[in-house]
Amino acid sequence: MRTERNAEPLSRFLSTFSIGLGIAQLAAPQHVNRLAGIRDDATSRLWQRIVGVRELVAFAAIEAERPNPKRALWMRVAGDAKDLTLLGFAWREKRDSTPRLVGAIANVAGIAALDVLAARRAGRGPEQPTEEEAMHVKAAITVRKPREEVYSFWRDLENLPSFMAHVESVEGNGNGRSHWKVKAPAGARVEWDAEVVEDRPDETLVWRAVEGSDVQNSGAVRFVDAPRNQGTEVHVEFDYGAPGGRLGEAVAKLFGEEPTQQAKDDLRRFKQVMETGFVVRSEGSPEGSTAHRHLKQRPGQPLPEDGS
């Protein structure tokens, strides 16, 4: 996923918004004043027309600078700052149209946030990865089972929900493809199709989400003989784009779902499943092997004898 692909729809929306608003401000400034809760007089109409001309110039600049209208978008940000200043002056008058004025300020602030986002994306350049692509996770664990057995269990992708807490289901579609249903923060759910791109039995499994998936992700799991015949080292490494990018990752952390810790917890459950046949029950996970209900993993303590 490249920046140009992410920035283009947003810049086109802002371009369309500019020409629509500019025409309205030039053709009917009195109506824009009333909608915004601003006193309608000769001075305010003049300012509406001035801002309308600026919006049309912004439209022309964005279209002229495609596919990377960085300067034009930052010009819009400067214009938003001026608009908020003018609305601030109107607010100080405390007229009867306060509710509409509050709405106008909120709308301009929202557009300003989109302008900043689009300008920053355009400024990265088409060859730089987006924030969603920047998330990298690594984790490893040693399982006291032969490499062939460990690989075989993982290779049957429908086994993954038994130890991956946020994975609701994985359904194999044949030809190395599978359909995933995964819980996201705040009770949301995302789905995608993935494909195995490299499969070396007992050694390596590499996958990636197919193009157009809700969550772009790719990664690999490697199986290595542990030293001194201690079983198998399982190394997991993947990149993914969380819904909402860095903001989505921050929200996930607030819900106790930081991705690296989540991967480590999943591997601890995988170790338990491989070595004991189920996820060890404790006061921290009394439901047993229903992985998606587990709390964060920690050293287990026995359940009370009455099972309560």
Side-chain angles (χ1 to χ4, degrees), residues 218-285:
S218 62
V221 55
R222 295 186 296 110
F223 306 91
V224 181
D225 289 331
R228 298 184 298 277
N229 297 318
Q230 294 297 306
T232 305
E233 294 180 357
V234 181
H235 298 262
V236 177
E237 186 170 357
F238 61 91
D239 297 275
Y240 83 110
R246 290 293 185 189
L247 176 60
E249 186 183 31
V251 171
K253 290 180 181 179
L254 291 177
F255 283 83
E257 299 170 348
E258 195 277 327
T260 299
Q261 185 60 50
Q262 177 184 321
K264 292 178 179 178
D265 290 345
D266 287 344
L267 285 182
R268 291 191 188 102
R269 284 185 286 267
F270 177 63
K271 176 181 175 70
Q272 292 174 359
V273 169
M274 292 302 303
E275 294 180 356
T276 69
F278 54 88
V279 174
V280 175
R281 298 175 70 239
S282 71
E283 94 293 355
S285 57

Side-chain angles (χ1 to χ4, degrees), residues 177-207:
R177 290 203 170 194
S178 54
H179 184 74
W180 293 59
K181 295 181 181 179
V182 176
K183 292 193 301 179
R189 174 198 282 177
V190 292
E191 300 183 26
W192 68 82
D193 290 324
E195 59 183 350
V196 173
V197 295
E198 182 180 352
D199 184 2
R200 286 185 284 170
D202 306 333
E203 294 182 7
T204 304
L205 194 64
V206 181
W207 78 90

Side-chain angles (χ1 to χ4, degrees), residues 4-70:
E4 182 177 336
R5 176 180 165 188
N6 283 329
E8 186 70 8
L10 183 54
S11 67
R12 287 197 179 280
F13 164 76
L14 294 171
S15 174
T16 302
F17 180 84
S18 285
I19 191 172
L21 179 59
I23 290 173
Q25 289 172 308
L26 286 173
Q30 69 278 12
H31 294 308
V32 177
N33 280 335
R34 282 194 285 270
L35 287 173
I38 298 172
R39 182 177 59 188
D40 184 36
D41 57 23
T43 300
S44 63
R45 291 186 186 187
L46 174 61
W47 275 109
Q48 287 291 357
R49 291 191 173 99
I50 291 173
V51 174
V53 171
R54 189 199 71 212
E55 290 292 339
L56 294 180
V57 170
F59 162 77
I62 291 174
E63 294 302 316
E65 290 185 2
R66 291 199 183 281
N68 186 28
K70 175 183 175 181

Side-chain angles (χ1 to χ4, degrees), residues 47-222:
W47 275 109
Q48 287 291 357
R49 291 191 173 99
I50 291 173
V51 174
V53 171
R54 189 199 71 212
E55 290 292 339
L56 294 180
V57 170
F59 162 77
I62 291 174
E63 294 302 316
E65 290 185 2
R66 291 199 183 281
N68 186 28
K70 175 183 175 181
R71 289 178 298 178
L73 290 168
W74 281 118
M75 183 177 72
R76 277 193 53 83
V77 173
D80 295 331
K82 293 178 182 178
D83 292 345
L84 288 171
T85 300
L86 292 173
L87 289 170
F89 288 140
W91 173 264
R92 290 173 59 183
E93 296 183 10
K94 297 181 179 179
R95 301 189 63 79
D96 294 338
S97 53
T98 295
R100 290 187 179 182
L101 188 56
V102 170
I105 292 173
N107 287 333
V108 172
I111 290 295
L114 291 178
D115 286 334
V116 171
L117 177 60
R120 291 182 62 186
R121 284 180 173 178
R124 293 192 193 110
E127 295 304 319
Q128 298 181 18
T130 64
E131 290 180 329
E132 290 82 356
E133 292 177 308
M135 300 180 196
H136 185 72
V137 176
K138 293 178 65 174
I141 202 164
T142 298
V143 178
R144 292 181 178 271
K145 287 291 182 178
R147 184 156 47 100
E148 296 81 2
E149 183 177 342
V150 176
Y151 163 85
S152 180
F153 186 89
W154 194 297
R155 182 62 183 87
D156 184 354
L157 300 180
E158 295 187 2
N159 287 329
L160 300 185
S162 68
F163 62 88
M164 291 186 173
H166 290 69
V167 178
E168 292 187 350
S169 66
V170 181
E171 299 178 359
N173 297 332
N175 299 321
R177 290 203 170 194
S178 54
H179 184 74
W180 293 59
K181 295 181 181 179
V182 176
K183 292 193 301 179
R189 174 198 282 177
V190 292
E191 300 183 26
W192 68 82
D193 290 324
E195 59 183 350
V196 173
V197 295
E198 182 180 352
D199 184 2
R200 286 185 284 170
D202 306 333
E203 294 182 7
T204 304
L205 194 64
V206 181
W207 78 90
R208 67 185 175 199
V210 301
E211 187 174 356
S213 297
D214 287 347
V215 178
Q216 289 298 315
N217 64 91
S218 62
V221 55
R222 295 186 296 110

